[in-house]
Amino acid sequence: MVSIRLTTSCLKRINEEIKSMMKHVLSAMVMNQPGVLAHISGMLASRAFNIESLAVGETERPDFSRITFVVAGDNKVVDQVRKQLEKIVTVVKVMDYRDQDILERDLMLLKVSTVESGLSKVKELAEIFRAKIVDVGQSHVMIELSGPERKIDAFIDLMRPFGILELVRTGRIALAREVSLSVEDALKPPTPFDTSEVEIEV
């Protein structure tokens, strides 16, 4: 039996590395104005924040856009990013999803070779992951897949032996859940109103 003892400095370094790998999601509502994204990107770069991904898109209001950030680091780093974002005039609101139940998705398009293995094996794996084959060429297929980050990472790993030709991802987007309700419950028809016990005074 081998016994391994780690020094305090070694344990501290391991703990710091684990913290640096933690990922947190922030979302910022910003005004739709020229230069907003460049301003925010410049601020993040100048302070050397480790941003894993950044996704920008329209919202329910045409005059606002939502930017979703995936920040790598501990709580102190996330707090610093949030505070810096809140200082920017064109940032209307910053949502911190650390302590919230959220629904998050990532979208990927992947072009994979079918020269060696043929289409059938790639198609079989795509069906297991509920991915869509959106384009077929003579020597490749293009696959669309959305879902949690870990699901997409796992699918990419399975596709590597076939030969990945091109790959693009949107980065994570997220929204907070308002009510803890299952899909089955949400799709149930409403219970009919029972009028048999209702008394009407005339």
Side-chain angles (χ1 to χ4, degrees):
M1 182 176 179
V2 179
S3 177
I4 300 176
R5 292 185 178 181
L6 298 177
T7 63
T8 303
S9 60
C10 184
L11 288 171
K12 184 178 180 180
R13 186 167 63 253
I14 292 173
N15 189 43
E16 289 174 351
E17 290 178 357
I18 292 174
K19 286 182 178 180
S20 68
M21 292 187 291
M22 295 172 63
K23 298 179 182 180
H24 306 278
V25 180
L26 293 176
S27 181
M29 193 78 73
V30 302
M31 297 179 184
N32 270 339
Q33 295 182 4
V36 171
L37 182 58
H39 186 187
I40 293 175
S41 300
M43 180 276 293
L44 296 172
S46 65
R47 287 163 177 78
F49 290 127
N50 189 2
I51 306 299
E52 290 283 322
S53 68
L54 186 152
V56 187
E58 295 181 353
T59 67
E60 66 280 2
R61 293 183 55 177
D63 49 341
F64 291 107
S65 291
R66 183 187 296 270
I67 304 178
T68 305
F69 307 86
V70 177
V71 184
D74 56 15
N75 288 330
K76 183 178 179 181
V77 172
V78 179
D79 288 336
Q80 290 174 348
V81 174
R82 177 178 53 79
K83 290 176 182 178
Q84 291 299 324
L85 288 171
E86 289 173 342
K87 292 179 181 179
I88 299 175
V89 177
T90 51
V91 175
V92 179
K93 184 180 180 182
V94 179
M95 284 73 75
D96 186 346
Y97 291 143
R98 277 177 291 181
D99 298 322
Q100 296 189 46
D101 182 16
I102 63 173
L103 181 65
E104 53 183 311
R105 289 291 183 267
D106 192 352
L107 174 65
M108 175 198 69
L109 287 175
L110 179 146
K111 188 184 292 184
V112 61
S113 173
T114 55
V115 174
E116 297 294 334
S117 60
L119 177 60
S120 59
K121 187 62 177 178
V122 173
K123 184 179 179 182
E124 180 183 344
L125 290 172
E127 289 175 350
I128 293 173
F129 279 76
R130 297 183 180 178
K132 298 178 183 178
I133 295 179
V134 293
D135 186 59
V136 179
Q138 293 183 350
S139 59
H140 72 273
V141 293
M142 189 180 299
I143 299 171
E144 174 188 321
L145 177 63
S146 65
E149 186 179 40
R150 285 183 294 179
K151 174 184 176 181
I152 293 181
D153 289 341
F155 185 74
I156 291 173
D157 289 339
L158 288 174
M159 290 293 106
R160 292 193 190 281
F162 299 102
I164 295 176
L165 304 177
E166 291 183 83
L167 187 154
V168 62
R169 295 173 68 166
T170 60
R172 279 196 276 181
I173 55 174
L175 284 176
R177 295 178 185 269
E178 294 295 333
V179 181
S180 181
L181 188 67
S182 67
V183 175
E184 292 77 10
D185 289 338
L187 295 178
K188 284 182 181 178
T191 304
F193 181 66
D194 186 4
T195 60
S196 61
E197 299 181 0
V198 177
E199 295 183 1
I200 302 177
E201 294 184 0
V202 180

